[in-house]
Amino acid sequence: MKPEYLQQIPIAQKGGQIKELTKGFSSDKKYVIDDQYLLRLFPKKDKQERQIEYDTISRLNELSAYVPKTFEFGTLDSADMSYMILSYLPGQDGEVALKDITQIEQYDAGFLAGKELKKLHHLNAPEGTPNWYNHKKHKSDSYLKRLKNVPLDEHIKSLLKNYIRLHEHLLIERPNTFQHDDFHPANLLIHERTLSGIIDFQRMDWGDPIHDLTKLGFFSVKASVPFTIGIVDGYHDDIGGVTDSFWELYTLYSAMHIVSALVWGGPLGIYEKMLRYSLDVIVDHDEFSQLVPKWYID
């Protein structure tokens, strides 16, 4: 039985088959309509920022066919909800699907994901977007301050703080472009053994495009090392290969991400998991004496 508020949305009203989606961390209510449309509903109070997300997705679809198309944005006043309707992209998320394809297929899918992400980074930030150095350094300083209260070995705290302080100058004059800000296998779809879509733009932001690759060593390698290597290689395909300057920024952002993950891990009840992942990244970079992570070169 369709929820009553769906009767107020023409596409849903006409839809023959409507299935609710419950997977994922988003608080949106999500429905698939006739395997063609994805309906996302959210509180009306979030309408303004979600309109920006919707408009950005529309512009990103012009850059990559792996981004959903946009169809409708509206409000259900009676339900105090707003909604967007996007095209429904087929496939399973990479965390589930990658284990069922070969390592060569994993690499190829990652390579394509990296190439498509690079296309999305051609979308420049709106005029008036804060300077990346000031924005990122302010957040990093705040997290480093809060790291003092995290029950973590003092050697690791010093290691992270010293590395970040020594290299944060790399943030100066970095470009401001679109950031997906949650780019990892759970938000990348696999269908018929290859990449079929990039989804979940709710955390989108603006800043250094390289920052979008921050979570590769944290989450993506856990799903598939070949896929993760493919992302890095595909992202750099148009310039002939991975550069040292990329790894310098990537490693700095990895250190910063560890700090934020450990700070937030406690309140979210996942500190032990974040600590394990963080220690893996530290080992991969040989306590930040090595720029290129072991998973890429081994």
Side-chain angles (χ1 to χ4, degrees):
M1 182 177 177
K2 299 178 183 178
E4 188 174 330
Y5 52 74
L6 293 185
Q7 303 301 320
Q8 302 173 51
I9 302 172
I11 288 179
Q13 190 177 31
K14 297 174 184 176
Q17 184 182 48
I18 298 180
K19 298 178 292 186
E20 184 174 5
L21 288 181
T22 56
K23 184 176 173 57
F25 294 101
S26 172
S27 60
D28 288 2
K29 280 190 168 295
K30 295 175 288 188
Y31 297 91
V32 178
I33 304 170
D34 292 334
D35 288 328
Q36 288 184 280
Y37 306 103
L38 175 65
L39 169 64
R40 302 185 71 121
L41 297 113
F42 40 86
K44 181 180 173 181
K45 64 181 176 62
D46 298 334
K47 177 180 178 179
Q48 185 174 356
E49 64 183 62
R50 300 305 295 273
Q51 178 77 64
I52 294 172
E53 175 192 341
Y54 177 85
D55 292 342
T56 303
I57 292 173
S58 182
R59 296 173 67 190
L60 292 172
N61 175 259
E62 297 174 3
L63 298 172
S64 170
Y66 291 85
V67 173
K69 294 179 180 179
T70 54
F71 290 98
E72 185 178 340
F73 189 97
T75 297
L76 304 174
D77 290 318
S78 61
D80 202 31
M81 302 176 80
S82 292
Y83 65 90
M84 66 175 75
I85 299 177
L86 311 173
S87 59
Y88 175 66
L89 302 180
Q92 290 183 300
D93 74 69
E95 286 188 347
V96 174
L98 285 168
K99 66 180 184 298
D100 295 325
I101 61 178
T102 69
Q103 290 195 356
I104 292 175
E105 289 169 333
Q106 290 172 29
Y107 176 86
D108 289 344
F111 192 91
L112 182 53
K115 289 186 69 170
E116 295 303 313
L117 178 64
K118 188 67 167 285
K119 293 178 184 178
L120 305 190
H121 289 160
H122 290 155
L123 181 60
N124 291 323
E127 190 174 341
T129 300
N131 172 277
W132 174 248
Y133 171 79
N134 294 335
H135 172 69
K136 186 61 179 176
K137 179 166 167 49
H138 175 75
K139 290 180 68 174
S140 177
D141 288 348
S142 175
Y143 282 129
L144 284 171
K145 185 176 181 180
R146 294 165 66 185
L147 184 67
K148 296 176 183 178
N149 299 320
V150 174
L152 180 68
D153 185 280
E154 291 300 322
H155 169 69
I156 296 177
K157 289 183 181 180
S158 297
L159 181 72
L160 292 165
K161 180 180 178 180
N162 292 340
Y163 190 85
I164 290 170
R165 291 293 187 223
L166 188 62
H167 296 88
E168 61 189 5
H169 67 277
L170 296 172
L171 303 175
I172 296 173
E173 296 186 357
R174 290 297 300 163
N176 257 344
T177 73
F178 166 81
Q179 293 175 334
H180 182 282
D181 208 37
D182 207 17
F183 191 81
H184 57 84
N187 291 327
L188 299 169
L189 298 177
I190 303 295
H191 183 61
E192 296 182 347
R193 313 185 77 83
T194 189
L195 181 77
S196 60
I198 302 171
I199 60 171
D200 283 355
F201 292 83
Q202 197 170 340
R203 295 184 58 176
M204 57 157 281
D205 206 345
W206 307 99
D208 184 359
I210 300 302
H211 190 268
D212 248 350
L213 300 170
T214 298
K215 298 178 182 178
L216 294 185
F218 211 80
F219 295 115
S220 186
V221 293
K222 298 290 190 290
S224 166
V225 170
F227 181 76
T228 307
I229 293 173
I231 290 175
V232 175
D233 290 351
Y235 190 84
H236 293 88
D237 183 54
D238 62 334
I239 60 171
V242 188
T243 63
D244 290 342
S245 61
F246 164 77
W247 288 120
E248 289 173 352
L249 283 162
Y250 170 83
T251 306
L252 170 62
Y253 290 142
S254 293
M256 289 177 163
H257 182 249
I258 287 174
V259 174
S260 62
L262 293 174
V263 167
W264 280 110
L268 293 176
I270 54 172
Y271 176 76
E272 293 301 325
K273 179 180 179 180
M274 294 299 97
L275 178 59
R276 289 197 309 272
Y277 284 20
S278 298
L279 293 176
D280 286 345
V281 174
I282 291 171
V283 169
D284 279 337
H285 289 275
D286 197 10
E287 295 199 346
F288 296 109
S289 66
Q290 176 177 308
L291 285 179
V292 183
K294 293 178 180 178
W295 53 261
Y296 187 82
I297 56 179
D298 283 354

